[in-house]
Amino acid sequence: MSLFWRIFALNACGLVVAAALLLGPVTVSTPVLPTEAFVVLAGLASLLTVNAVVLRVGLVPLKRLGRAMSDADLLHPGARAVVSGPVETAELIRTYNSMLDRLEAERTSSAARALSAQERERHRVARELHDEVGQTLTAVLLQLKRVADRAPDELRGEVGQAQEATRAGLDEIRRIARRLRPGVLDELGLVSALRSLAGEFTTHGLTVRPDLRTVLPALTEETELVLYRVAQEALTNTARHAGADRAELRLRPVADGVELLVRDNGRGPGPADGEGAGVLGMRERALLIGAAFSFGPGLGGGTVVRLRTGPGTAASAEGGPR
């Protein structure tokens, strides 16, 4: 029975009983006798109690829906309100769940377009850095070499310093270009790109140990790029914020996909720490391929980033692996 008919039936019963009493032999004296006042008050209390119970039971699903709406987060998809209650309430909850389905699909689609545009822009900037700025600095190095060959002895030291500064700038530009668009990922594949990434982050203060299985299921280009970007962002957070001296980068096959794990021994996230832009970016990328993503403190301390792909991330037989 719908909530409308429940309330209507209850009120109708109360009014019918009241009318029957008025038309029947029951009368109220003037002044009102204590027994008569007791009967009237008892009937009124009973009617209000039953009315309150009906409303309470009927509105419980709406309260659950309100909690589900306040807890809804498109970065943590899949949570839905339980469909229950009267007909109107159940229909409202189903409509809300359908709206969440549409919002999650639209958000995933828009995020995919935005990240695709971002990758294209990264590729363009990396190419311009490598082809234009890199070539300009290379020409400057050649000119400085000719100047150093002709310069008097008292100026050769300064020219040499200019050469070293230019060479360091050129190396930095090449490093930035590689991070913007990893050519090794396009040329040699995911495992080689991750191994190169681990070597890039291995410095005097941080050692990254790669544990990469070479036998992996065939993955789509989008999945490989998401795995690489998540590993890159996780290692960047480790190098900048964790204060760790050891990190592990692991990639292994699991049922229906692969699992990426980045773990360090540094300062893990505290209970009051929220998810920053880097973690939100990793979570959004995971949503693009329908992967399960988790970020938090490890059992023995440090931080653990885990991304596990599921069905639908394997490359098709026509396209094959990259």
Side-chain angles (χ1 to χ4, degrees):
M1 183 184 294
S2 68
L3 184 61
F4 168 79
W5 286 112
R6 290 182 184 182
I7 298 175
F8 176 80
L10 177 63
N11 292 333
C13 289
L15 292 175
V16 168
V17 171
L21 292 176
L22 289 175
L23 297 175
V26 179
T27 59
V28 178
S29 303
T30 305
V32 180
L33 297 177
T35 54
E36 295 173 341
F38 175 78
V39 171
V40 172
L41 292 177
L44 178 62
S46 300
L47 183 62
L48 292 176
T49 301
V50 175
N51 201 358
V53 170
V54 171
L55 289 176
R56 174 69 66 180
V57 173
L59 295 178
V60 164
L62 290 180
K63 287 188 175 181
R64 287 201 297 264
L65 176 61
R67 287 195 296 269
M69 294 175 69
S70 62
D71 295 338
D73 185 357
L74 294 181
L75 289 178
H76 299 79
R80 296 292 182 269
V82 178
V83 179
S84 62
V87 177
E88 300 94 335
T89 306
E91 183 62 27
L92 177 62
I93 296 174
R94 279 192 290 268
T95 303
Y96 168 73
N97 289 339
S98 299
M99 181 192 69
L100 274 186
D101 293 337
R102 292 194 303 272
L103 285 177
E104 289 180 0
E106 291 172 4
R107 190 183 193 285
T108 301
S109 177
S110 62
R113 290 193 298 269
L115 290 176
S116 177
Q118 184 185 73
E119 289 297 331
R120 289 195 300 270
E121 185 66 13
R122 282 172 177 257
H123 190 271
R124 184 188 65 81
V125 172
R127 186 176 62 251
E128 290 183 359
L129 285 175
H130 183 273
D131 295 344
E132 298 181 13
V133 181
Q135 290 180 4
T136 300
L137 289 179
T138 301
V140 170
L141 275 176
L142 294 175
Q143 292 175 357
L144 287 174
K145 184 179 184 305
R146 287 195 294 269
V147 171
D149 293 339
R150 302 174 187 176
D153 294 339
E154 61 270 15
L155 293 179
R156 286 186 179 179
E158 296 181 6
V159 175
Q161 292 177 359
Q163 284 180 295
E164 291 302 321
T166 305
R167 187 174 291 108
L170 180 59
D171 292 340
E172 181 68 13
I173 290 224
R174 288 173 176 168
R175 185 187 67 82
I176 293 173
R178 285 196 305 270
R179 296 197 65 185
L180 284 173
R181 183 65 185 182
V184 66
L185 179 61
D186 297 327
E187 297 167 3
L188 301 179
L190 179 62
V191 174
S192 297
L194 291 178
R195 186 172 288 112
S196 174
L197 186 67
E200 180 182 340
F201 277 93
T202 297
T203 61
H204 297 292
L206 176 64
T207 300
V208 180
R209 183 175 67 87
D211 180 10
L212 309 173
R213 304 291 178 86
T214 57
V215 180
L216 297 172
L219 302 172
T220 63
E221 293 186 7
E222 185 181 41
T223 301
E224 289 190 354
L225 185 58
V226 167
L227 289 168
Y228 180 86
R229 291 300 187 197
V230 169
Q232 186 182 53
E233 184 62 38
L235 289 176
T236 299
N237 288 343
T238 296
R240 291 180 179 176
H241 309 299
D245 58 6
R246 294 193 310 276
E248 178 187 5
L249 174 60
R250 189 174 71 189
L251 181 68
R252 62 179 183 178
V254 294
D256 299 325
V258 297
E259 182 184 71
L260 174 73
L261 176 72
V262 181
R263 177 167 47 200
D264 62 58
N265 66 340
R267 181 177 59 257
D273 295 337
E275 294 187 350
V279 178
L280 293 178
M282 290 188 285
R283 192 177 295 282
E284 286 186 348
R285 288 182 181 276
L287 288 178
L288 292 180
I289 58 174
F293 174 83
S294 63
F295 167 85
L299 295 178
T303 304
V304 176
V305 174
R306 191 187 308 271
L307 187 146
R308 184 166 182 164
T309 68
T313 57
S316 63
E318 297 177 359
R322 287 204 315 144

